[in-house]
Amino acid sequence: MNNKEKQWVENFMAQIVAKNPNEPEFHQAVREVAESLAENIVADPALQQLKILERIAEPERVIMFRVPWLNDRGEIEINRGFRVQMNSALGPYKGGIRFHASVNLSIMKFLAFEQTFKNSLTTLPMGGGKGGSDFNPKGRSDNEVMRFCQSFITELQRHIGADTDVPAGDIGVGAREIGFMFGQYKRLRDEFTGTFTGKGLDWGGSLLRPEATGYGLCYFTQQMLATRGDSFEGKTVLVSGSGNVAQHACEKATALGAKVVTLSDSSGYIYDADGIDEEKLAYVKLLKNVYRGRIKEYCEKYPSAKYFAGERPWGVKCDIALPCATQNELNGEEAQRLIDNGCKCVAEGANMPSTPEAINIFLTNRILYAPGKASNAGGVATSGLEMSQNSMRIKWTKEEVDEKLHSIMQNIHEVCVKYGSEEDGYVNYVKGANIGGFMKVANAMIAHGCV
Ligand code: NDP
């Protein structure tokens, strides 16, 4: 960036911070995009006059609401619900619902902002949105989760719809929660439509949707590695998290010939030097998805593995790191340790898992680094495919969906290379994803006028 561009970024960010105080995650996500786009925006008076990025950074609508519900002891509990409808230039708002104690407006807005660019990159007709609640499903009975979901949807139903806003899952929201939310939505609205994605396979869900984020992440990583004549074959891989994205990233990386040696949750990580193979992963799925247990229990089942309480996996020697847990889970110090240990590729399954300091270290060291909005877009892309199947009232085979997912991830990779290639041939995927994602949204907004 030259001085003029730097000045533009600082002025732009000063407005964002003043307008959105106490929203650090939102500032972080917007700054990253502003820095990537500075050159294009400073060089284009139309983008400045039409205030395209200023408009993208202002949600079209934010819905915040009370979610009262009864716990198993008959007591009233009150949570806060959110839906941020960020941008509908390319299609209905689309993005997940997160249930986690940490959920607040800043986190919802950063996720909805990122989602807008990610959805654009998929080339499917989807705008950007995100929602959730500070409800913590851990330790709650199925009935409590159901009552919470019903109360949440009783309010949210008036703001969503198959052509308006289509939620999906995210942290703390999987098949069980989507089922409860869809059931209540269907009952209140008296319609069976594709208003949610991630639905069960028997009632409108798409084959491969549960696997899509983790699989897509590995397809994208394959493409990145191929730019250096490399592949997953024989590589040691670190995965963080042990939820939906982590499980399927582990599964696909293993199928592609890599050895995944770590998984984690918010309490610590496990290290299995022998690799988490198909059989061990089947146990993890049972442990996390059915028994809703903790990852440390892995070591009771497989005693040769080690558990590190309160730690993250980034100090383990590896070739490839796939952060798949949550935002800001990999800081500058940990990024440096990855580099020092010979890591050559970091691709994000989670949204914004690397801090700005970490990203800077990856880019400075010229390793392959993919931001989540490019590398984890396979999930929402397959949600887009689920929407198409629902609208057409048909069901594609697993092979058909996988082929489309493959080609979408390949296309996103090509866009990143197109917009992110630097003079020395290094591909800056951050820049590539941000510019590539922005262009389509900007063009649509210009066409739609001042709305
Ligand atoms: P899950 O709820 O299935 O799993 C989340 C995992 O991350 C759990 O292992 C959880 O551990 C861990 N985790 C959550 N919060 C923290 C924290 N503060 N510190 C450390 N670990 C934490 O969620 P998903 O797998 O669906 O989502 C993971 C990430 O991927 C998120 O960033 C999400 O936004 C992103 N993503 C998800 C998509 C999807 O299709 N599901 C699509 C694109 C992105 P614990 O049980 O201890 O909380």
Side-chain angles (χ1 to χ4, degrees):
M1 267 192 291
N2 63 30
N3 282 342
K4 199 171 169 197
E5 289 155 9
K6 278 187 193 148
Q7 194 53 53
W8 175 82
V9 171
E10 292 316 318
N11 291 345
F12 178 77
M13 285 312 300
Q15 289 171 34
I16 293 290
V17 172
K19 255 187 145 177
N20 306 275
N22 306 317
E23 296 181 5
E25 292 86 0
F26 181 58
H27 304 162
Q28 183 182 335
V30 176
R31 176 176 279 278
E32 184 206 283
V33 169
E35 286 177 353
S36 291
L37 293 172
E39 194 184 331
N40 299 56
I41 294 183
V42 168
D44 187 341
L47 287 178
Q48 288 175 54
Q49 267 164 26
L50 295 171
K51 300 202 170 162
I52 299 295
L53 192 59
E54 287 85 343
R55 279 196 270 159
I56 294 178
E58 184 68 29
E60 289 178 15
R61 196 173 296 107
V62 176
I63 301 143
M64 275 174 67
F65 50 99
R66 180 172 70 203
V67 189
W69 57 284
L70 288 173
N71 68 21
D72 284 346
R73 292 186 300 279
E75 298 156 352
I76 292 177
E77 297 207 24
I78 301 155
N79 287 100
R80 184 170 288 174
F82 300 86
R83 186 73 182 166
V84 176
Q85 298 181 331
M86 200 79 194
N87 194 293
S88 61
L90 299 181
Y93 308 106
K94 181 85 197 84
I97 300 263
R98 175 177 294 191
F99 291 163
H100 194 271
S102 65
V103 163
N104 58 33
L105 187 58
S106 173
I107 290 178
M108 293 287 98
K109 282 170 67 177
F110 114 67
L111 288 164
F113 181 78
E114 292 269 297
Q115 195 82 46
T116 301
F117 296 88
K118 183 191 308 192
N119 293 2
S120 165
L121 284 168
T122 67
T123 71
L124 301 177
M126 299 182 290
K130 199 83 187 189
S133 173
D134 57 0
F135 171 69
N136 177 6
K138 286 195 195 96
R140 300 295 191 174
S141 69
D142 286 350
N143 277 336
E144 287 181 318
V145 171
M146 180 179 72
R147 285 194 293 273
F148 173 81
C149 289
Q150 290 178 340
S151 180
F152 182 82
I153 285 303
T154 299
E155 175 57 31
L156 190 62
Q157 57 88 19
R158 69 188 89 237
H159 306 287
I160 59 177
D163 294 318
T164 315
D165 184 349
V166 183
D170 190 76
I171 291 178
V173 177
R176 175 181 62 169
E177 291 75 17
I178 293 289
F180 292 149
M181 288 193 276
F182 180 81
Q184 182 74 347
Y185 180 83
K186 181 170 67 65
R187 181 186 190 193
L188 292 170
R189 298 279 291 251
D190 197 19
E191 59 181 37
F192 196 118
T193 55
T195 298
F196 289 83
T197 59
K199 298 186 291 299
L201 294 180
D202 294 333
W203 40 278
S206 173
L207 285 159
L208 225 66
R209 175 61 188 92
E211 295 88 345
T213 309
Y215 280 19
L217 169 67
C218 291
Y219 296 156
F220 192 91
T221 308
Q222 263 187 313
Q223 299 277 329
M224 295 168 82
L225 292 166
T227 64
R228 297 192 177 175
D230 214 339
S231 75
F232 268 109
E233 193 63 48
K235 299 291 187 300
T236 299
V237 177
L238 307 184
V239 173
S240 66
S242 47
N244 172 283
V245 181
Q247 290 169 16
H248 296 106
C250 177
E251 185 165 278
K252 187 53 83 176
T254 306
L256 293 170
K259 183 167 80 168
V260 177
V261 293
T262 63
L263 286 172
S264 72
D265 59 25
S266 50
S267 312
Y269 79 91
I270 57 113
Y271 171 62
D272 186 338
D274 300 330
I276 301 160
D277 61 18
E278 214 178 310
E279 181 215 313
K280 291 172 182 173
L281 185 63
Y283 167 74
V284 172
K285 287 184 181 175
L286 200 65
L287 173 70
K288 299 301 287 189
N289 309 348
V290 179
Y291 300 121
R292 299 185 190 274
R294 308 300 297 161
I295 199 63
K296 73 173 178 197
E297 293 167 55
Y298 181 96
C299 299
E300 290 159 23
K301 176 91 175 159
Y302 302 106
S304 64
K306 289 197 184 75
Y307 177 64
F308 297 84
E311 288 186 43
R312 302 195 283 216
W314 313 125
V316 176
K317 191 172 164 49
C318 71
D319 304 299
I320 299 168
L322 305 175
C324 296
T326 192
Q327 65 275 356
N328 293 327
E329 56 158 320
L330 201 173
N331 63 28
E333 211 176 295
E334 291 163 322
Q336 192 56 54
R337 288 180 77 184
L338 283 172
I339 302 277
D340 293 345
N341 280 333
C343 177
K344 295 278 183 298
C345 175
V346 177
E348 297 180 343
N351 285 309
M352 210 169 74
S354 308
T355 64
E357 295 74 29
I359 295 173
N360 195 28
I361 288 169
F362 297 145
L363 297 181
T364 309
N365 283 277
R366 301 311 229 197
I367 67 160
L368 295 168
Y369 163 69
K373 63 169 78 74
S375 49
N376 73 29
V380 74
T382 308
S383 277
L385 301 177
E386 183 171 330
M387 288 165 72
S388 303
Q389 292 170 80
N390 291 164
S391 296
M392 292 190 280
R393 294 206 168 18
I394 57 164
K395 198 170 179 84
W396 290 324
T397 64
K398 202 168 191 169
E399 291 69 30
E400 284 172 303
V401 178
D402 200 29
E403 196 190 314
K404 292 183 203 307
L405 173 62
H406 245 116
S407 89
I408 290 170
M409 297 315 293
Q410 192 170 344
N411 188 54
I412 297 175
H413 186 268
E414 279 165 18
V415 170
C416 289
V417 171
K418 177 175 170 192
Y419 291 107
S421 291
E422 298 187 345
E423 274 171 18
D424 61 358
Y426 177 69
V427 181
N428 182 332
Y429 288 88
V430 180
K431 205 169 164 187
N434 286 333
I435 298 176
F438 173 79
M439 296 310 281
K440 266 179 63 191
V441 180
N443 289 340
M445 288 177 73
I446 292 168
H448 295 166
C450 179
V451 293

